[in-house]
Amino acid sequence: MLPIEAVYGQLTSEFANNKTVLLQAPPGAGKSTWLPLQLLRDNRFNRIIMLEPRRLAARNIAYFLAAQQNEPLGQSIGLRMRNEVNLSNDTRLEIVTEGVLTRMLQADPELTDVDLVIFDEFHERSLAADTALAFALETQSAFRDDLCILVMSATLDGERYQSFLQCPIVSSDGRSFPVAEIYQPLNDEAKWLEAMPALVTLALQQQSGSALVFLPGQREIKYVQQQLIDRLSNDIDVVALFGEQDKATQQTAIAPAQLGRRKVVLTTNVAETSLTIEGIRIVIDSGKRRAAKFNIKTGVTELSTLSISRSSAIQRAGRAGRVESGVVYRLGSHAQFERRDKHETPEILCSDITPLVLEAKVWGTNINQLPLLDKPTSAAITQAESLLRQLEAFDEQNKLTALGKRIHEFGTEPRLAHMLIKATEMEQQLPGISALACYFVALLESRVNGSPELRVTLQSQFERPHKAFSEQLNVWLKRLKINKPKELACEYLSVVVALAFPDRLAKRRGQGFVLANGAGVNTHESYWLDSGFLAIATLGGHKGQRIFSATELDLPLLQQQLPHLFIKQSVCEFDEKRARFLHEDRTVIGSLIVDAKPCDKPIDVQARTQAWISLVHKHGLALFSQYPQVEQLLTRMTLAQRFYPQEFKQVDEAALLTNLNMWLAPYLDDIKQLDQLKKFDLANALNSILSWELQQRLGDILPVRIRVPSGSNIKVYYQLDGPAKLSVKMQEVYGLNDTPKLCDGQLSLLMELLSPAQRPLQLTQDLANFWQTSYKDVQKEMKGRYPKHFWPDDPSVAQATNKVKSRM
């Protein structure tokens, strides 16, 4: 009996009263296989769609469930993924991959005839899954109050997810069999990969059965596979399993070992969830994964090797206990394991959200209005909207264009969709450009290595194509109904690149180049030495600043074919090197100045103000000489927003720099010199952010000074992390038993009690307790050192003073 069976009754009863349910079920519970099939067989729902985040898992689950029904795939059990559809009129349970579900919702927001949508392995938090769930929740709210949604995962952040979904949670027990844990500490973390072959060998010597070895990527799989050849006995087969393999190779990898033999499956995190490989009772976990991280500065998604979270490690270990008791060998110490993050960072917080912003617009809303568990940053949204304008998917008001709809309907990444659509439209003017675009996209998708000069690489693939390149090329030539050309029209290559990567057009700056998005990148030592402008296809390396592939930009041709990229503007900016204003008429592509000439109009007040605003935005508030004096004001305003968010707006420096035109610009009309700007009364402008009533309120809850019993007004020092601090002579607070309260008691006040010579004697947040306890020791010492000062036996009722005894 599978663990999920024990909570099946509870789950179905929850659906009787709720349309959304959260299911937490660790690996091996049967949530991906037994549960949807049982819901189908019990006729609880007429038609079910189950989202599987990984293609390999989706395919295997679909075939397994069809076999359980004694049917071929495509009857009651269906499968729909890119380039693979098995459905019929009899299909009632449909397994789909992420992008497919989003498209189904876009095409039919009511999800006609669908009764239940299941989100399996939701803890992986892919961008597509977050998008699909947001759309499904809106469908449920706006169109289908009868639509049921089941969110399932092995490792949920239960309380947070439950709060977001406002639904009941059902929890199931985990794996059917225990999994022992063995840790293999590392002397040198940098040499983790070199340690893996020895760990695999050790595990196979100590344990029986087959093994599943988790590695971050294909390069590491290849290395370990080669190292194991001479280490393992002849009765052990070593196979690889990763997402880019063809279906037949994947099926061979997950098939059980032949009778009398053992198997070692070297895999990526593609095997982490919803996949059972028969005979596996050993998991050997490198603790690493390959993760894509979007660099918002360069607009490049970089692949990095990172440590996995604890939840992912638990998922991986669960593979060993699916069919019998097993063991997991973890590379690294137990202490290292405990220091890992609890969960992986959701893709929406670390990836390019351009597809999501486009999806939201097609859905008819803005991304900030979608019910998302995590909201992307405003900077990420701004970057995505800027790119979509360059791709002509959005107009200047960020409204969806007719071309934007076609890009969305094209069914591939927005950059590539724009390139292929526009290249097809340009074919009559630029013969051969559409075929060239197919060659370019085939090169990007096949990831075939070549020369840094893009033209050379494409010509090489035209003459002697790699197998992977040919496969991708044929797909696109067939889809666009283009015949293979007799020669490549490489004279249009920079236009093709610009159609996909307008933000990667670059202008020479010193020894490198600056991108249209403003980021600086490094050139290749042997290429483009005399080029003033480049069209860059691929970037990477350290901070995404290394040019991997590019070609020289044909600027006149680009201006002729893509005039929307060229913006004419009048610019006024302060030249710090020359200490004067620069006033020019420019033609720009993003941050690239293509052409500039002096402006024949005088600098007006508005232009000069905007120049000052740009300068402040560049240097921050530290540009002002008064900044050290206003730091405490900013800290108080930030604390006020933290404790009273309904009354006070966010006013940290980042927020202030974003809204300079609102609060600073009105004060700059008469400022004509840099020295004037630096001496500007910053405190006055900052105070103006608050109404008179809020200024008074700020003084009440976070006073600049506190009046102590002696009559002195003592300045309070505030900090963003930790208590506020009041440094005062001890004699001045005699008679004070209750520590003053800030923010209605929400912010602690630390009192630093000083000697007559202003030296610290005591730190306390509880004056009454100090007077009754530690004060006696202080009194004894101070009487001898400062005999002229007043040191009463009971300071809690004594008169406070800032004078010596003779003048009291």
Side-chain angles (χ1 to χ4, degrees):
M1 179 177 173
L2 289 167
I4 199 70
E5 297 181 51
V7 298
Y8 181 69
Q10 180 188 354
L11 181 68
T12 54
S13 65
E14 290 291 0
F15 271 123
N17 302 308
N18 304 278
K19 295 306 176 184
T20 302
V21 176
L22 187 61
L23 173 63
Q24 192 276 325
K31 65 183 182 301
S32 305
T33 51
W34 185 90
L35 177 59
L37 194 59
Q38 194 62 38
L39 290 170
L40 185 73
R41 289 173 172 175
D42 284 353
N43 291 312
R44 297 278 180 180
F45 301 96
N46 184 54
R47 187 175 170 217
I48 303 170
I49 293 176
M50 183 164 77
L51 172 68
E52 280 296 330
R54 300 183 187 276
R55 291 169 59 88
L56 177 59
R59 183 185 295 115
N60 279 280
I61 288 172
Y63 276 98
F64 174 80
L65 295 180
Q68 296 299 300
Q69 293 284 80
N70 295 314
E71 299 171 352
L73 184 64
Q75 292 191 11
S76 64
I77 309 297
L79 172 67
R80 185 170 1 193
M81 62 174 67
R82 186 181 178 187
N83 300 326
E84 189 173 347
V85 178
N86 275 291
L87 297 172
S88 70
N89 292 332
D90 297 324
T91 300
R92 293 180 55 212
L93 172 57
E94 187 175 337
I95 315 300
V96 303
T97 48
E98 290 172 333
V100 172
L101 179 55
T102 303
R103 296 207 166 275
M104 291 173 70
L105 284 156
Q106 290 278 24
D108 178 16
E110 294 187 18
L111 283 182
T112 308
D113 297 330
V114 175
D115 304 302
L116 172 66
V117 181
I118 301 175
F119 290 84
D120 194 16
E121 308 297 356
F122 189 72
H123 70 276
E124 294 194 9
R125 296 295 310 284
S126 70
L127 187 62
D130 274 7
T131 306
L133 178 60
F135 288 177
L137 290 171
E138 291 214 330
T139 288
Q140 186 187 61
S141 174
F143 306 117
R144 291 280 311 280
D145 57 5
D146 62 327
L147 179 67
C148 290
I149 296 174
L150 175 60
V151 178
M152 314 195 299
S153 177
T155 52
L156 281 177
D157 189 355
E159 290 184 4
R160 182 166 180 254
Y161 283 30
Q162 187 178 18
S163 175
F164 168 70
L165 294 168
Q166 291 293 296
C167 71
I169 184 170
V170 177
S171 296
S172 167
D173 291 333
R175 63 177 73 91
S176 300
F177 301 94
V179 175
E181 297 176 328
I182 297 176
Y183 291 88
Q184 184 69 25
L186 275 169
N187 293 326
D188 186 351
E189 176 68 21
K191 295 182 178 180
W192 68 267
L193 182 57
E194 289 88 334
M196 282 301 294
L199 182 57
V200 173
T201 305
L202 176 65
L204 290 168
Q205 290 172 348
Q206 294 180 343
Q207 307 293 333
S208 61
S210 295
L212 188 62
V213 183
F214 283 100
L215 295 160
Q218 295 180 41
R219 180 180 64 84
E220 292 82 1
I221 287 175
K222 185 176 181 180
Y223 170 82
V224 174
Q225 194 167 20
Q226 290 175 338
Q227 292 293 312
L228 291 177
I229 292 175
D230 298 327
R231 292 174 180 254
L232 302 182
S233 60
N234 293 331
D235 64 340
I236 301 177
D237 299 316
V238 181
V239 297
L241 176 64
F242 48 87
E244 288 75 16
Q245 292 170 312
D246 59 67
K247 182 166 62 175
T249 304
Q250 289 179 338
Q251 294 303 315
T252 300
I254 65 177
Q258 296 179 9
L259 188 64
R261 300 187 64 80
R262 303 171 74 187
K263 177 183 277 192
V264 175
V265 182
L266 307 176
T267 187
T268 61
N269 57 4
V270 70
E272 193 171 296
T273 57
S274 299
L275 187 67
T276 299
I277 303 177
E278 291 186 36
I280 296 293
R281 62 170 305 275
I282 312 166
V283 164
I284 302 149
D285 188 4
S286 66
K288 304 292 181 182
R289 66 184 177 105
R290 192 86 79 235
K293 186 174 182 180
F294 184 63
N295 185 325
I296 198 168
K297 184 177 181 181
T298 59
V300 175
T301 297
E302 306 157 17
L303 286 176
S304 304
T305 301
L306 306 173
S307 295
I308 61 173
S309 66
R310 278 176 284 157
S311 62
S312 288
I314 293 168
Q315 283 281 99
R316 291 181 175 185
R319 302 300 98 188
R322 299 301 295 267
V323 293
E324 59 181 307
S325 60
V327 60
V328 57
Y329 285 76
R330 291 196 175 109
L331 191 64
S333 66
H334 185 265
Q336 287 175 315
F337 174 81
E338 291 296 329
R339 287 197 296 269
R340 291 177 183 168
D341 292 337
K342 189 175 181 180
H343 300 284
E344 311 291 2
T345 302
E347 277 190 8
I348 198 169
L349 300 181
C350 61
S351 65
D352 180 6
I353 63 166
T354 302
L356 173 56
V357 173
L358 180 59
E359 289 283 2
K361 195 67 71 172
V362 173
W363 185 250
T365 187
N366 292 317
I367 189 170
N368 282 324
Q369 295 172 320
L370 285 175
L372 295 165
L373 182 60
D374 291 285
K375 299 285 187 180
T377 64
S378 57
I381 295 173
T382 299
Q383 190 275 342
E385 290 174 339
S386 174
L387 176 59
L388 288 167
R389 288 194 297 271
Q390 289 182 306
L391 296 177
E392 304 173 276
F394 287 2
D395 63 16
E396 289 305 310
Q397 286 72 45
N398 288 333
K399 293 181 179 179
L400 186 69
T401 64
L403 180 55
K405 292 180 182 178
R406 292 174 62 196
I407 288 172
H408 177 263
E409 291 167 357
F410 201 79
T412 190
E413 205 275 330
R415 290 180 183 271
L416 303 184
H418 178 258
M419 176 189 68
L420 292 164
I421 292 170
K422 293 288 288 188
T424 303
E425 293 176 351
M426 294 176 179
E427 180 64 27
Q428 190 170 356
Q429 281 184 291
L430 307 176
I433 191 172
S434 57
L436 181 65
C438 290
Y439 270 76
F440 182 44
V441 72
L443 183 67
L444 293 174
E445 292 191 340
S446 64
R447 301 178 186 175
V448 173
N449 293 325
S451 167
E453 173 50 60
L454 182 60
R455 188 180 301 237
V456 173
T457 303
L458 287 175
Q459 196 63 46
S460 173
Q461 291 303 315
F462 178 78
E463 296 168 2
R464 297 176 301 278
H466 188 280
K467 180 183 177 183
F469 177 88
S470 293
E471 290 174 354
Q472 293 296 330
L473 176 65
N474 291 335
V475 168
W476 289 109
L477 289 175
K478 182 179 179 180
R479 178 172 177 183
L480 272 64
K481 299 178 182 178
I482 298 173
N483 295 323
K484 192 172 182 180
K486 295 182 179 179
E487 61 181 7
L488 284 180
C490 286
E491 63 270 27
Y492 308 136
L493 184 56
S494 66
V495 175
V496 168
V497 176
L499 286 169
F501 302 104
D503 52 333
R504 296 185 197 172
L505 301 179
K507 181 181 180 180
R508 181 170 292 283
R509 183 178 66 181
Q511 298 300 310
F513 286 83
V514 61
L515 301 178
N517 63 19
V521 294
N522 303 318
T523 186
H524 195 283
E525 296 174 357
S526 306
Y527 290 85
W528 317 296
L529 299 177
D530 300 319
S531 301
F533 289 86
L534 289 183
I536 301 173
T538 52
L539 287 163
H542 181 61
K543 295 183 179 180
Q545 295 178 331
R546 178 76 171 173
I547 301 175
F548 286 163
S549 177
T551 194
E552 188 168 6
L553 180 61
D554 186 337
L555 206 55
L557 180 62
L558 189 70
Q559 193 156 14
Q560 178 189 359
Q561 296 298 324
L562 300 177
H564 73 279
L565 291 178
F566 294 79
I567 308 298
K568 294 186 181 297
Q569 55 185 215
S570 180
V571 176
C572 178
E573 58 187 33
F574 189 79
D575 187 333
E576 295 179 74
K577 291 183 179 178
R578 301 176 187 176
R580 65 179 180 85
F581 285 99
L582 190 64
H583 197 202
E584 294 180 335
D585 289 327
R586 294 175 180 173
T587 301
V588 301
I589 304 175
S591 297
L592 305 183
I593 301 174
V594 177
D595 182 55
K597 59 182 181 180
C599 183
D600 56 6
K601 296 180 181 179
I603 300 175
D604 59 24
V605 172
Q606 185 178 2
R608 187 177 63 218
T609 296
Q610 287 308 306
W612 291 136
I613 291 294
S614 296
L615 191 66
V616 175
H617 197 276
K618 176 182 176 182
H619 291 285
L621 299 182
L623 176 70
F624 299 96
S625 57
Q626 197 188 71
Y627 180 65
Q629 285 76 41
V630 300
E631 274 191 294
Q632 279 291 291
L633 173 60
L634 279 174
T635 300
R636 290 168 63 227
M637 294 169 79
T638 302
L639 289 171
Q641 193 277 332
R642 182 184 298 172
F643 291 114
Y644 303 92
Q646 302 302 319
E647 297 181 59
F648 293 87
K649 295 179 181 179
Q650 186 175 1
V651 287
D652 56 45
E653 185 167 357
L656 290 170
L657 293 177
T658 302
N659 296 292
L660 290 171
N661 278 307
M662 296 291 293
W663 67 273
L664 182 61
Y667 293 87
L668 303 183
D669 288 357
D670 296 328
I671 293 182
K672 299 177 181 179
Q673 302 294 329
L674 182 59
D675 283 346
Q676 282 182 275
L677 180 69
K678 289 183 176 180
K679 295 175 182 177
F680 170 73
D681 185 359
L682 186 58
N684 186 40
L686 287 172
N687 272 314
S688 72
I689 295 173
L690 304 178
S691 66
W692 172 254
E693 289 77 16
L694 283 181
Q695 289 183 41
Q696 299 306 304
R697 173 78 166 137
L698 181 65
D700 291 339
I701 59 175
L702 294 166
V704 175
R705 294 178 178 274
I706 289 179
R707 187 177 181 86
V708 294
S710 67
S712 299
N713 289 306
I714 308 298
K715 192 170 184 179
V716 184
Y717 174 79
Y718 293 93
Q719 53 186 351
L720 293 177
D721 297 308
K725 186 177 179 181
L726 185 74
S727 296
V728 58
K729 290 180 182 179
M730 186 178 292
Q731 287 97 337
E732 297 203 51
V733 290
Y734 290 158
L736 182 64
N737 291 287
D738 295 325
T739 305
K741 297 189 184 318
L742 303 171
C743 292
D744 303 314
Q746 296 180 84
L747 179 64
S748 301
L749 178 66
L750 178 67
M751 300 193 69
E752 183 181 47
L753 304 181
L754 308 176
S755 71
Q758 304 280 350
R759 292 189 177 91
L761 294 176
Q762 182 73 29
L763 291 171
T764 182
Q765 290 179 294
D766 186 350
L767 269 176
N769 181 64
F770 168 66
W771 296 142
Q772 299 300 319
T773 56
S774 305
Y775 171 75
K776 297 297 182 184
D777 295 329
V778 174
Q779 179 195 34
K780 185 184 299 183
E781 182 181 351
M782 289 299 102
K783 272 187 172 181
R785 185 173 298 181
Y786 300 103
K788 296 182 179 181
H789 289 265
F790 182 40
W791 304 104
D793 291 332
D794 188 357
S796 65
V797 294
Q799 178 186 347
T801 181
N802 54 15
K803 302 174 182 177
V804 295
K805 287 188 292 185
S806 60
R807 296 183 179 179
M808 288 179 63

